[in-house]
Amino acid sequence: MKPFGAAIFGCAGERLTTEEKRFFAEANPFGFILFARNVATAEQLRALTSELRESVGWKAPVFIDQEGGRVQRLRSPVARDWLPPLDDVRRFGTDAAAAMALRYRIICAELLALGIDGNCSPALDVARPETHAVLRNRLLGDTVEQVTELGRVIAQAHLDSGVLPVIKHMPGHGLGTLDSHLELPRVGAGRDELDRVDFAAFKALNDLPLGMTCHLVFEQIDPRPSTISPVMIELIRSDIGFEGFLMTDDISMEALDGTVAERGAAALAAGCDAVLHCNGDFSEMTALMDRIGTMPQGAMDRAARALDARKAPAPVDIDTLVAEFEALSQKHA
């Protein structure tokens, strides 16, 4: 197997440019990620996902953020619109697990039909009253038990559907009171609370194939943001016990200092397996790739195991799934 470039890249528009095709062929990134800027129609999107894979010459995973609510890159008429996850969890009450299984099986069927086989979901951060609004209603509950139960249901719905789930934001973003897209959140909680709540949710699902870091400082453990902290990455690996493929959150987010290339290099030095670069800026991508190069053998092994989890989906009747979901919705109207 040709070594993967230690990155997951976005692209600028609705089709690849000649320049992007050449770059991706040389870089051979582990995968790609799509955003609303890349979506016009279903036909166009299928053509784009095919182009992305053709550029590297293998069935590279194509990821997206299709959580529901504010964070869903596909919207009607390309795909169904959804409430934020926490809104649906509260709406369905005791039927939340059944509803979320149906919801994400429908989402995954839609993704796969468009050539997308990775979803950056579920978020396993435990909601608190102080959780920043940019994150709070994207979560699954305010207890470890609820988050882990529903997180497992959602992850399994993905795996059964042939779509790779990515658990996030490791080792836990629920205590963050700032938007890490713009600023660096800091958490002062002690290790006992973190082990009992935030880290516990990820430990319960540490067998899943892919995870994503958070750009957040745990002040009682290490002064560096988790994404670029060897201490925090070792905590994810050893204390939480996550042996899967670990990508960064978007390396372009302003929580981190330095250039994109410097941030990416620091993340890999800390122990992340791949740098997630989302905005499609070509000059940033080339500078990053020049700095980070290909994955070492350990990351390649974790990448191979993650890809092995991408199974052929069981046959699905999406109309039946939708009917079942709507019946539950009527029950809780």
Side-chain angles (χ1 to χ4, degrees), residues 8-313:
I8 296 167
F9 284 127
C11 58
E14 296 170 5
R15 298 298 293 266
L16 292 187
T17 65
T18 301
E19 190 178 45
E20 286 173 328
K21 290 178 182 179
R22 185 180 304 115
F23 170 70
F24 292 147
E26 294 173 356
N28 192 36
F30 172 71
F32 302 97
I33 188 163
L34 300 177
F35 284 81
R37 67 175 182 273
N38 305 122
V39 181
T41 67
E43 182 180 12
Q44 167 269 322
L45 191 52
R46 283 189 286 268
L48 176 59
T49 56
S50 293
E51 277 188 330
L52 288 166
R53 293 185 172 109
E54 288 167 4
S55 73
V56 292
W58 64 284
K59 192 184 176 184
V62 178
F63 297 93
I64 202 163
D65 293 284
Q66 193 72 354
E67 299 174 5
R70 185 180 59 80
V71 181
Q72 62 176 69
R73 313 308 181 191
L74 306 178
R75 295 188 178 274
S76 180
V78 175
R80 288 169 176 79
D81 291 314
W82 300 92
L83 291 173
L86 191 56
D87 290 5
D88 257 355
V89 168
R90 288 174 172 162
R91 176 166 71 112
F92 286 108
T94 57
D95 287 324
M100 298 307 269
L102 289 167
R103 167 182 163 130
Y104 284 95
R105 286 177 68 195
I106 295 166
I107 286 173
C108 289
E110 292 182 330
L111 294 181
L112 213 57
L114 296 166
I116 300 165
D117 56 6
N119 191 17
C120 297
S121 178
L124 301 182
D125 312 302
V126 179
R128 310 292 218 291
E130 66 267 34
T131 303
H132 194 281
V134 77
L135 179 64
R136 196 172 196 285
N137 69 358
R138 298 167 54 193
L139 306 184
L140 301 175
D142 55 10
T143 68
V144 175
E145 294 74 19
Q146 185 176 37
V147 169
T148 56
E149 177 193 7
L150 296 178
R152 176 67 68 182
V153 164
I154 292 168
Q156 194 61 51
H158 281 76
L159 292 169
D160 290 344
S161 303
V163 175
L164 292 172
V166 181
I167 57 173
K168 60 187 185 184
H169 306 82
M170 300 185 80
H173 209 307
L175 287 169
T177 59
L178 300 175
D179 180 357
S180 57
H181 295 86
L182 306 174
E183 317 176 68
L184 177 61
R186 297 178 178 275
V187 167
R191 184 64 188 266
D192 287 348
E193 179 183 357
L194 294 168
D195 281 337
R196 188 176 67 254
V197 181
D198 302 82
F199 300 168
F202 289 95
K203 190 170 186 176
L205 276 76
N206 64 10
D207 58 309
L208 290 172
L210 299 105
M212 179 188 293
T213 66
C214 65
H215 304 327
L216 187 151
V217 171
F218 293 92
E219 294 178 320
Q220 299 299 312
I221 303 176
D222 191 79
R224 293 165 289 190
S226 294
T227 296
I228 59 171
S229 165
V231 173
M232 297 308 301
I233 301 304
E234 176 60 22
L235 182 150
I236 290 169
R237 292 299 191 196
S238 297
D239 297 14
I240 289 175
F242 179 71
E243 297 181 351
F245 187 84
L246 187 63
M247 66 183 75
T248 72
D249 203 347
D250 182 9
I251 207 68
S252 300
M253 290 162 64
E254 293 308 313
L256 301 178
D257 292 330
T259 66
V260 163
E262 290 167 344
R263 298 169 189 175
L268 296 185
C272 293
D273 293 321
V275 178
L276 179 64
H277 182 272
C278 295
N279 66 20
D281 183 293
F282 190 77
S283 62
E284 288 185 0
M285 291 193 293
T286 54
L288 175 63
M289 203 63 228
D290 286 345
R291 185 72 178 267
I292 64 175
T294 57
M295 292 181 191
Q297 189 59 52
M300 285 289 294
D301 292 343
R302 287 185 287 272
R305 290 196 297 271
L307 293 173
D308 284 345
R310 185 176 55 175
K311 305 296 186 185

